[in-house]
Amino acid sequence: MSHSRSLSAGAHDTVTAARAAVAELGSPDRLLELIAELASGEGDPGACAELSYRHVLGFDKLLLIDGGPRHMLRAHFWHPGAKAIGAEDIHNHRSPLASYVVRGRLTMELYEARDDGGITADQYEESLAEGSADWRLRPTGPARLRLTHTGQYAAGSAYALPAHTLHRAWCDTDVPTVTLFLETGAGRRRHTDVFTAAGPHPGAVPKVPLQVPEYLGALNDLAESLRSS
């Protein structure tokens, strides 16, 4: 079943608009201009660095534009072979999202929960810890999931997902992959669902923000990657 058939008209309009916006913003020349400007120290690098970090799924999550609670535009810089604690996790999100592949390639799998068959996984409810931005993982018991779709997204591809869609994505090339990621903030959930078949997770995972020099350095590395593509 396509996602659009299971969505309300409003939710479908949100993900459609987000997909169109991120594809327009993600053109390599336009994105390179923005990243080079931010890497030079324009804007508010301190505030952006505070909301940028190495994600548990194994990529650098770099904030580019903070549009408040409704829109957050980020660059995801995927490094081939990166080892991360949540690299194998299947998860959903707090709000609808859209992503555009600027360079490289992603593979993505979609899943649905079911009562029997499929794969067995441990389920967690993920939320932000009180008083910090760390990820808190509360185990909710065993679950079963069924793989419903596998797709590859090369440079120039865009996709959008409703908040509840269970998926897993990874960089499947030997060169870095760059994606532009738009969080819409619409109907934001208080938690996400995380499923893993790779063994138990710790109860909390630190989210360590980048320091300003690290943030600017990551932006410069990203700009160089885009120039060489």
Side-chain angles (χ1 to χ4, degrees):
M1 177 183 292
S2 70
H3 299 304
S4 60
R5 294 179 187 173
S6 60
L7 295 175
S8 67
H12 182 259
D13 289 345
T14 297
V15 295
T16 300
R19 185 180 185 277
V22 80
E24 180 179 352
L25 294 169
S27 63
D29 290 343
R30 185 169 184 176
L31 182 58
L32 178 56
E33 181 180 357
L34 171 61
I35 290 173
E37 181 178 302
L38 294 174
S40 72
E42 291 292 324
D44 189 345
C48 287
E50 197 171 317
L51 294 173
S52 300
Y53 47 92
R54 169 60 65 87
H55 198 278
V56 292
L57 298 181
F59 53 84
D60 294 333
K61 193 175 181 80
L62 306 173
L63 179 63
L64 304 180
I65 298 175
D66 183 354
R70 299 292 296 179
H71 298 98
M72 300 282 277
L73 185 68
R74 303 178 185 269
H76 289 178
F77 197 8
W78 303 71
H79 304 282
K83 302 297 182 184
I85 190 171
E88 300 298 317
D89 286 354
I90 298 161
H91 63 281
N92 51 27
H93 285 259
R94 287 181 173 80
S95 61
L97 63 95
S99 185
Y100 180 83
V101 182
V102 182
R103 179 180 191 240
R105 187 178 66 211
L106 291 182
T107 290
M108 185 166 64
E109 297 172 339
L110 302 182
Y111 290 84
E112 66 178 11
R114 58 179 298 141
D115 295 330
D116 55 15
I119 63 171
T120 301
D122 295 316
Q123 182 175 356
Y124 296 82
E125 183 180 276
E126 176 272 331
S127 59
L128 296 179
E130 295 291 338
S132 78
D134 293 352
W135 291 283
R136 182 175 55 195
L137 293 162
R138 183 177 69 86
T140 58
R144 301 196 73 87
L145 300 175
R146 183 174 73 90
L147 176 66
T148 61
H149 175 77
T150 301
Q152 286 187 327
Y153 296 85
S157 302
Y159 62 85
L161 299 174
H164 287 84
T165 302
L166 294 172
H167 63 284
R168 182 171 79 95
W170 65 93
C171 169
D172 69 351
T173 69
D174 57 1
V175 297
T177 289
V178 178
T179 59
L180 192 63
F181 186 85
L182 178 63
E183 301 171 8
T184 67
R188 194 166 180 83
R189 305 164 62 209
R190 293 182 61 85
H191 73 273
T192 66
D193 304 297
V194 175
F195 299 82
T196 180
H201 274 320
V205 178
K207 182 189 290 187
V208 182
L210 298 181
Q211 299 297 311
V212 172
E214 294 175 308
Y215 172 72
L216 296 178
L219 289 177
N220 275 304
D221 290 344
L222 182 55
E224 287 303 312
S225 178
L226 292 176
R227 290 189 185 102
S228 66
S229 60

